Amino acid sequence: MIKEAAGKSNLKRVTLELGGKSPCIVFADADLDNAVEFAHHGLFYHQGQCCIAASRLFVEESIYDEFVRRSVEWAKKYVLGNPLTPGVTQGPQIDKEQYEKILDLIESGKKEGPKWSVAEVRGGIKATSSSPRSSLMLQTTCALPKKEIFGPVQQIMKFKSLDEVIKRANNTFYGLSAGIFTKDIDKAITVSSALQAGTVWVNCYSVVSAQCPFGGFKMSGNGRELGEYGLHEYTEVKTVTMKISQKNS
């Protein structure tokens, strides 16, 4: 709608940082404690209401069960309620409409899951006033992993090979950010280059600084904020060509 309005008025330039369905890939050689913690905060931060949320977790098959076990332990520690109350670690969703949308998406994922023999919910759903949270384990054949939930729903999926996980990670209309956890620098470079995302974090997540350009690929927007590239969006480049008269010496 913003771009349409710009086109109908005076063709003003707009930069759009839009939504995401960001993949976070955890390889078997990763520091597991570090990966679990960053992946958890990367999703549950701000009640999951964050454009860069690590909402699609791909975990290598050999460490999948242990990763899920530790992730559920993290989720169960959360205390829901008024965020201004001491001891509360997670506040409500922005409004009742969003709260209900999140629960509907969780239910749709659970219903669609058995069709593909995959869906399972662990950690359960806690709801205090208008704040649901859940840990979901779903494969990409379910509709849920393709939609931006914008809520505290963590989807953890298995993968077996490097090529497979790159293909699945890029199988989205979005391309805002991504995460990779591995101790293998060659693997980190290969995957970060292959991922279709404007920002890729390696062995960390949600690390943003004013010097680093931020923006998305595909339906996650156009243009960049921050860094030198952020200044380009406000720059008009001018070319002046001048013929110099030549006088006989």
Side-chain angles (χ1 to χ4, degrees):
M1 291 175 66
I2 292 171
K3 296 194 78 170
E4 181 183 21
K8 286 182 176 180
S9 56
N10 60 358
L11 283 179
K12 63 175 65 68
R13 263 203 319 266
V14 296
T15 57
L16 298 173
E17 185 269 285
L18 302 174
K21 191 68 178 176
S22 300
C24 187
I25 303 169
V26 182
F27 290 96
D29 62 0
D31 180 328
L32 200 54
D33 286 333
N34 181 66
V36 169
E37 182 175 356
F38 268 107
H40 182 86
H41 291 303
L43 185 280
F44 285 95
Y45 167 76
H46 202 45
Q47 293 75 248
Q49 299 170 144
C50 188
C51 57
I52 57 174
S55 52
R56 290 187 301 142
L57 264 172
F58 297 96
V59 180
E60 197 161 0
E61 190 173 44
S62 62
I63 61 168
Y64 178 83
D65 289 337
E66 179 61 17
F67 188 95
V68 170
R69 185 188 69 79
R70 297 191 192 190
S71 295
V72 171
E73 287 180 356
W74 268 92
K76 286 183 174 180
K77 293 176 183 178
Y78 268 56
V79 178
L80 281 64
N82 184 339
L84 300 179
T85 302
V88 171
T89 52
Q90 182 162 313
Q93 304 311 126
I94 188 63
D95 56 32
K96 189 67 177 292
E97 181 181 355
Q98 177 65 9
Y99 162 74
E100 291 175 349
K101 175 186 174 183
I102 293 168
L103 292 180
D104 287 344
L105 284 168
I106 292 172
E107 288 304 313
S108 70
K110 289 163 64 179
K111 289 175 183 176
E112 189 172 352
K115 174 182 176 184
W116 306 100
S117 303
V118 294
E120 183 180 359
V121 178
R122 304 186 195 180
I125 299 173
K126 288 185 179 180
T128 301
S129 62
S130 58
S131 182
R133 74 167 169 77
S134 172
S135 290
L136 279 183
M137 280 54 74
L138 296 168
Q139 285 186 353
T140 52
T141 42
C142 294
L144 189 54
K146 297 182 182 296
K147 297 179 180 179
E148 186 186 21
I149 299 173
F150 219 64
V153 181
Q154 188 177 57
Q155 301 153 229
I156 311 176
M157 300 164 281
K158 296 179 184 178
F159 74 89
K160 293 182 179 180
S161 70
L162 186 70
D163 290 341
E164 172 206 344
V165 75
I166 291 173
K167 183 178 180 180
R168 290 171 67 187
N170 286 334
N171 184 24
T172 173
F173 295 113
Y174 299 105
L176 189 57
S177 57
I180 305 165
F181 290 86
T182 178
K183 294 177 182 177
D184 184 333
I185 187 64
D186 289 338
K187 192 182 296 179
I189 293 173
T190 298
V191 179
S192 61
S193 298
L195 290 177
Q196 298 165 356
T199 297
V200 180
W201 291 291
V202 179
N203 293 325
C204 59
Y205 203 88
S206 297
V207 179
V208 180
S209 68
Q211 295 85 0
C212 297
F214 178 74
F217 288 15
K218 299 187 279 189
M219 293 295 285
S220 286
N222 57 268
R224 291 294 181 269
E225 302 169 358
L226 308 179
E228 183 180 345
Y229 284 93
L231 298 178
H232 291 178
E233 304 297 337
Y234 299 90
T235 302
E236 290 287 6
V237 178
K238 179 184 291 187
T239 299
V240 177
T241 304
M242 185 179 299
K243 179 180 179 299
I244 305 297
S245 297
Q246 292 183 354
K247 294 183 180 181
N248 294 328
S249 55

